[in-house]
Amino acid sequence: MGVTKCEYVIEVKDLVKRFQAGGSFWRPKYEAIINGMTFSVRKGDHVAIIGANGSGKTTLMKILAGIYLPDAGTVTVHGFDITRQLGRVLDHLSFVSPALNFLKKLTLRAKINFYAKAQGKDPEPAFKFIDEFGVANMLDEMLEVFSEGQKAITRFAIALLKQPDIMLIDEVTANLDVLRKEKLLAYLSARKDRITYVIIDHDVTTVDRLSNKILMLKRGGSVLKLGDVGEILKSIPYRYNVDVIPRNVKDKQFWDDFDQPWREVGSHVQFICQTKEEVSRIGALLLDNKDVISFSSSGLSIEDIYYFYLINEDFRGSEGMGRISYDDAMI
Amino acid sequence: MAQEQGFRGGAWVVPSFLRKVWQMTLRNLRNDWKYKFKLLLNSLYTAINLALFTVLAEVVQPNPGALPADYEPGGFLKFLFVGTYFWACFTHPFEDTVQCLPEETQKGTLGLLLTQNISIPVILMGRFWASFIISILLATAVVTPFFFILDMVANIVAALPWIILIMASMTLFMMCVSLWVASFSLLFKKTGVLSNVFIYGLKVSTGMFFPIFGLKGSTLILESVPVASGIDLLRDLFILGQPVAHGTASTVGFGWQETAEHWVGFVLQSQIIGVIALVIIALLCIKVYVKKAKLLGMIEAY
Ligand SMILES: Nc1ncnc2c1ncn2[C@@H]1O[C@H](COP(=O)(O)OP(=O)(O)O)[C@@H](O)[C@H]1O
Ligand SMILES: [Mg+2]
């Protein structure tokens, strides 16, 4: 569908979104969840939105999907203003989210037929999709018996009905089993030239496979950074990391004794290194350590963007940060 | 694409709107069909209403002149039955439509509908029409035997085109009222009391409980509510097969019911003005409240 009228697929300018947070009925207090956000997405960009919980990722998507209206600023999709021409925007944009549900007493077949006919589209591609993802045996079951994974497939089948050229995908892949997830990622990747993806996902693989740009949100609602994955990786002040799974929880001193910057990531610990020599040195020390179950070393990946920027934002200066200082890397 | 957009701006908008309403209607019908016990209870409710009104008409008689003399014999009972039939057709559509948005929100289904380009008016109309189709079928099934017993069937058949016309116009009016009241639920989640006030007021105005022409003076203005005038004309058609002049010397002051022609003219006028006014009010309220609800972030949050 050649909507080439406008340079940008999505353009967000000075967007502000406030929600009531406390206060009384007469004197409501408002909190800005998104505060002066500006960015744009061109054709060929596929954007992963990352940010701490509550940083407004879902809110941003809901504004793009027309569920919320901006308090200030403009949002255009293919040049159509989201507040005045929502109908046209929604003709080409699908929002896939676990927050969007179906009537549980209807069958999958009825559901797909309903959305296809309402859009004036052929339902066959959706049935084919359902079949391809191994849910065809559920066609005549009511949606109330569906597993979360099957619902996720259903959501994609419905979202694809209108042949969207923009898909907003909010943490939908989490409930899929490994095989289906792999299959879905391959399916979506193969359509990258036709569909612009905007995704929120905590899974690094998904982000890696579906996006080439990263939009980082700062808590309090503005853009921390928008850039190519490669570019953002370069802004991280180290080149390698050694990821360690310890046998049991060790105190700070234990890790400090390695004399290498480190950080806690869940139950793992990561040493971060500037040179291959540092990696080898840590590797040699770890190999002989009986308190280590396993370790692996790698160059930087999207995972590091999460760890570096998000942990940085959430826990800056907290105990978990070990000895590392990120200050010079801030934008 | 350019071509497609041209279509969107013009000829295709109305068909696509109607198509969506119809698909929503079918979806709701399918869903309602899963709750058969509820349908049974609804029919039972209508039957109980009819039974109670039979008792009422046995023990109570309206003032002379409140009903056209031609309605006799059994005029008051027939009068009440037509009103009951009408409200058996419209009570649930109204209530379901008013409850529709809070319910879809609670089920989490509203967001998907909205992002699939199915707008709030479409969702509400789809709800109204599904409930109306079910209600009119059930009510007609329950009431028809009574119409046979009361010997009204020949009249009904004779006046059928008029009956359908008046019913259609009142259906449009009731749809608009339902949409209007439903629009409040965009901003206030608990609108139960408000909707009760509305439906009670409408029921009174249509003479569900007593004939409006039994009233005196300016209270007669109630008769200009489209469903009030429409239903009184329906009664003429059901009971007599043709319209008759309404009222007595005390009500003739209003001028329109001196002859049957005046009366029909008045009814049609109230239908047209009422429906147009309500269409505008309902759509305007929905537009304004949807915008407000989207700004407040409460359109799909319960
Ligand atoms: N409809 C709403 N009404 C009020 N507050 C909201 C609404 N939606 C989101 N919020 C608030 O906005 C903040 C950001 O939410 P969200 O966008 O869901 O974050 P996330 O980045 O985790 O997806 C949260 O603090 C949430 O409480
Ligand atoms: Mg979220």
Side-chain angles (χ1 to χ4, degrees):
Chain A
M1 195 131 329
V3 195
T4 45
K5 162 180 167 209
C6 176
E7 186 187 354
Y8 297 112
V9 179
I10 298 171
E11 197 175 12
V12 173
K13 259 197 219 139
D14 305 320
L15 177 66
V16 177
K17 184 71 228 161
R18 297 186 200 93
F19 287 123
Q20 188 177 343
S24 66
F25 178 81
W26 303 111
R27 284 187 188 184
K29 284 206 184 83
Y30 293 97
E31 187 191 355
I33 300 302
I34 293 176
N35 203 355
M37 183 184 286
T38 299
F39 69 90
S40 50
V41 178
R42 288 164 194 270
K43 186 133 185 61
D45 289 352
H46 302 281
V47 182
I49 307 177
I50 72 176
N53 288 329
S55 58
K57 304 182 293 294
T58 301
T59 303
L60 174 60
M61 274 200 179
K62 286 186 174 172
I63 291 172
L64 290 173
I67 293 176
Y68 300 150
L69 274 172
D71 287 301
T74 54
V75 178
T76 54
V77 175
H78 288 312
F80 295 124
D81 188 297
I82 199 97
T83 49
R84 283 180 289 112
Q85 296 160 299
L86 183 62
R88 291 196 177 181
V89 171
L90 288 178
D91 279 344
H92 303 286
L93 178 146
S94 276
F95 179 34
V96 193
S97 157
L100 307 182
N101 266 308
F102 331 98
L103 283 182
K104 56 191 169 84
K105 291 284 179 197
L106 292 185
T107 64
L108 176 56
R109 190 188 302 280
K111 191 91 275 188
I112 288 176
N113 276 327
F114 162 63
Y115 278 112
K117 285 180 186 159
Q119 309 288 347
K121 301 281 185 195
D122 178 17
E124 272 321 306
F127 288 124
K128 220 178 125 229
F129 180 86
I130 291 288
D131 191 29
E132 218 173 291
F133 283 86
V135 191
N137 59 324
M138 304 295 284
L139 271 175
D140 294 305
E141 300 286 340
M142 287 186 210
L143 285 151
E144 62 184 345
V145 303
F146 276 46
S147 72
E148 282 306 315
Q150 290 166 330
K151 280 187 197 161
I153 296 298
T154 306
R155 290 193 177 99
F156 275 100
I158 291 172
L160 288 161
L161 270 175
K162 60 176 151 186
Q163 294 159 301
D165 45 37
I166 301 172
M167 282 181 89
L168 315 177
I169 305 172
D170 187 356
E171 296 180 38
V172 180
T173 56
N175 291 307
L176 290 173
D177 61 57
V178 184
L179 283 179
R180 284 219 182 97
K181 183 167 175 169
E182 178 51 40
K183 208 167 171 170
L184 183 68
L185 292 180
Y187 185 97
L188 296 175
S189 299
R191 283 156 181 78
K192 270 186 180 172
D193 52 341
R194 257 175 294 157
I195 304 176
T196 300
Y197 296 109
V198 178
I199 64 168
I200 300 171
D201 212 303
H202 294 297
D203 176 54
V204 178
T205 331
T206 308
V207 171
D208 206 11
R209 293 280 291 279
L210 289 186
S211 62
N212 54 14
K213 289 257 164 117
I214 289 192
L215 177 72
M216 264 187 280
L217 301 190
K218 208 158 39 176
R219 201 181 286 248
S222 54
V223 174
L224 179 63
K225 207 169 172 62
L226 169 68
D228 288 327
V229 174
E231 210 176 278
I232 292 182
L233 285 177
K234 268 190 217 140
S235 73
I236 294 180
Y238 55 87
R239 300 268 64 83
Y240 308 96
N241 76 55
V242 181
D243 187 281
V244 187
I245 306 177
R247 198 168 298 281
N248 45 39
V249 184
K250 289 288 159 197
D251 59 10
K252 216 165 163 288
Q253 191 55 45
F254 176 86
W255 301 109
D256 279 347
D257 287 344
F258 284 86
D259 200 26
Q260 183 73 24
W262 63 275
R263 66 185 168 203
E264 233 174 75
V265 178
S267 58
H268 297 212
V269 162
Q270 291 185 343
F271 290 102
I272 57 180
C273 309
Q274 293 294 354
T275 61
K276 291 184 178 134
E277 287 67 40
E278 286 177 15
V279 175
S280 317
R281 188 183 68 85
I282 290 294
L285 289 173
L286 288 169
L287 272 177
D288 289 335
N289 198 312
K290 62 177 170 38
D291 285 319
V292 167
I293 296 177
S294 70
F295 70 91
S296 61
S297 49
S298 63
L300 295 188
S301 70
I302 286 183
E303 208 156 8
D304 290 274
I305 299 180
Y306 274 81
Y307 294 146
F308 179 68
Y309 284 104
L310 296 194
I311 293 178
N312 195 16
E313 222 218 323
D314 256 10
F315 307 114
R316 175 197 284 275
S318 74
E319 284 297 289
M321 294 302 295
R323 291 167 27 196
I324 204 172
S325 161
Y326 290 123
D327 280 353
D328 38 69
M330 287 303 290
I331 317 108
Chain B
M1 191 61 217
Q3 220 179 359
E4 227 171 83
Q5 281 176 10
F7 276 129
R8 268 227 80 193
W12 286 120
V13 174
V14 169
S16 109
F17 180 84
L18 294 181
R19 183 186 68 220
K20 285 175 183 175
V21 171
W22 177 235
Q23 289 304 324
M24 265 315 272
T25 306
L26 289 179
R27 161 202 189 253
N28 292 328
L29 282 174
R30 273 202 196 92
N31 194 52
D32 290 351
W33 186 241
K34 306 280 178 182
Y35 300 91
K36 297 186 186 64
F37 189 61
K38 194 179 160 203
L39 299 183
L40 185 74
L41 284 184
N42 289 355
S43 321
L44 211 61
Y45 179 79
T46 307
I48 291 173
N49 249 330
L50 291 175
L52 288 177
F53 277 134
T54 312
V55 177
L56 182 73
E58 278 298 311
V59 294
V60 176
Q61 275 303 313
N63 291 335
L67 294 178
D70 311 13
Y71 278 14
E72 295 302 329
F76 190 41
L77 181 62
K78 290 174 183 169
F79 171 91
L80 290 174
F81 265 36
V82 178
T84 307
Y85 174 57
F86 179 85
W87 284 109
C89 294
F90 286 104
T91 303
H92 286 113
F94 175 84
E95 287 174 350
D96 293 349
T97 307
V98 171
Q99 272 309 306
C100 169
L101 295 178
E103 243 172 55
E104 298 274 2
T105 311
Q106 239 168 357
K107 290 179 191 158
T109 48
L110 192 62
L112 186 56
L113 292 171
L114 290 176
T115 60
Q116 289 291 319
N117 224 347
I118 297 173
S119 64
I120 297 283
V122 172
I123 294 170
L124 291 174
M125 286 185 197
R127 181 63 267 174
F128 179 87
W129 286 108
S131 294
F132 177 67
I133 290 170
I134 293 172
S135 292
I136 197 172
L137 290 177
L138 289 179
T140 307
V142 172
V143 171
T144 303
F146 290 89
F147 286 155
F148 270 102
I149 294 170
L150 294 173
D151 207 14
M152 293 157 74
V153 177
N155 298 330
I156 294 172
V157 172
L160 204 54
W162 273 98
I163 290 177
I164 290 173
L165 182 78
I166 297 295
M167 267 303 263
S169 134
M170 287 196 293
T171 307
L172 276 183
F173 178 80
M174 283 306 296
M175 182 185 83
C176 293
V177 173
S178 308
L179 259 66
W180 182 34
V181 179
S183 74
F184 298 127
S185 68
L186 283 161
L187 296 182
F188 309 100
K189 292 302 171 193
K190 305 277 182 221
T191 49
V193 176
L194 183 74
S195 85
N196 280 343
V197 169
F198 258 90
I199 192 115
Y200 218 78
L202 286 174
K203 280 181 175 174
V204 168
S205 81
T206 55
M208 169 98 179
F209 311 106
F210 59 86
I212 294 304
F213 283 109
L215 293 173
K216 301 252 154 38
S218 54
T219 43
L220 257 176
I221 196 77
L222 267 184
E223 190 64 19
S224 53
V225 177
V227 278
S229 65
I231 206 166
D232 271 334
L233 181 59
L234 266 196
R235 288 182 174 115
D236 292 352
L237 299 173
F238 273 58
I239 298 170
L240 306 169
Q242 62 187 38
V244 288
H246 278 246
T248 62
S250 73
T251 59
V252 162
F254 278 77
W256 50 69
Q257 53 273 52
E258 271 175 281
T259 68
E261 284 75 36
H262 279 138
W263 164 235
V264 172
F266 167 73
V267 173
L268 292 181
Q269 184 187 323
S270 92
Q271 298 297 316
I272 292 166
I273 295 175
V275 170
I276 290 176
L278 252 289
V279 166
I280 294 171
I281 291 174
L283 293 183
L284 209 66
C285 279
I286 291 178
K287 201 175 162 69
V288 173
Y289 297 161
V290 163
K291 194 169 169 205
K292 188 91 185 138
K294 283 184 172 183
L295 266 175
L296 293 173
M298 54 191 292
I299 198 153
E300 41 85 81
Y302 195 74

